[in-house]
Amino acid sequence: MEIERKWMVNGWPEGEGFPALPLKEEFAMRQGYISVHPTVRIREEALKGGRTDYILCFKSGGGLAREEIERPIDKALFEDLETKIIAKPLIPKIRRSYLLPDGLVLEVNHVDEGQPTEFWYAEVEYPTVEQARAWDPASCQLAAYLSDDVTGQPGQSMGEYWVKTRL
């Protein structure tokens, strides 16, 4: 089960006016969709200074909580799915994960950098629906940064972005 909230943001949470958030990791990613209803996605995840993983992911529905099944796949299968099944440019994004003072992780994504479609979004995953609903960004001094909560709003998923920009 994936339980997460999502916000539209402007840039990384760094610099003046932000709390000092330790950077946990950074990935360069490329992802594409075989299906958006239900979500069937492939993603290449290259850890900065480290390994590259290839993931096949299935997601049910949308909103605050949904089932998510991820399985590693090899590079050859990823490339076959990318070129023979999807056959569209994958979505590039940079993801930085920051440790929050309460132990949660803030994931900030920069999508389609340098393109007219470029945008930023942030997510926090939670262990329970109750914790997700109760969590206040102000508890981590991020109320101004995480002010545009789009969790569960139509048109705000990466799959829907795929349909708008790639199909």
Side-chain angles (χ1 to χ4, degrees):
M1 177 72 64
E2 174 186 61
I3 304 165
E4 68 182 8
R5 288 175 58 191
K6 181 178 181 177
W7 297 263
M8 302 310 294
V9 297
N10 295 308
W12 306 116
E14 300 171 345
E16 190 175 327
F18 287 101
L21 298 175
L23 180 63
K24 182 179 173 190
E25 58 194 5
E26 181 176 322
F27 286 91
M29 300 177 166
R30 295 183 318 121
Q31 67 186 47
Y33 291 78
I34 296 166
S35 170
V36 292
H37 298 292
T39 299
V40 180
R41 174 191 77 206
I42 59 169
R43 181 159 55 202
E44 175 184 72
E45 302 177 346
L47 177 64
K48 186 174 183 178
R51 72 189 187 284
T52 298
D53 293 320
Y54 302 92
I55 309 294
L56 176 62
C57 179
F58 304 86
K59 292 186 179 192
S60 68
L64 180 64
R66 61 185 171 170
E67 290 299 325
E68 178 182 60
I69 301 167
E70 291 188 338
R71 296 292 183 265
I73 59 175
D74 63 32
K75 184 178 181 178
L77 177 56
F78 177 89
E79 289 173 346
D80 281 347
L81 292 170
E82 176 185 9
T83 60
K84 297 175 182 176
I85 303 298
I86 295 173
K88 304 274 185 206
L90 301 187
I91 299 170
K93 66 181 183 176
I94 302 296
R95 171 178 288 162
R96 291 183 184 171
S97 298
Y98 300 89
L99 295 175
L100 296 174
D102 58 9
L104 296 173
V105 176
L106 173 68
E107 295 179 339
V108 181
N109 298 273
H110 187 190
V111 179
D112 272 348
E113 182 177 6
Q115 301 300 313
T117 53
E118 172 179 38
F119 71 98
W120 303 75
Y121 71 95
E123 297 174 325
V124 175
E125 288 195 27
Y126 306 87
T128 68
V129 168
E130 294 75 25
Q131 185 177 3
R133 289 186 176 135
W135 190 78
D136 182 0
S139 68
C140 297
Q141 301 174 359
L142 292 170
Y145 181 68
L146 299 177
S147 63
D148 187 10
D149 190 337
V150 296
T151 305
Q153 290 183 14
Q156 297 299 322
S157 74
M158 284 299 295
E160 290 166 314
Y161 176 72
W162 171 265
V163 169
K164 286 189 268 186
T165 63
R166 301 311 197 265
L167 297 183

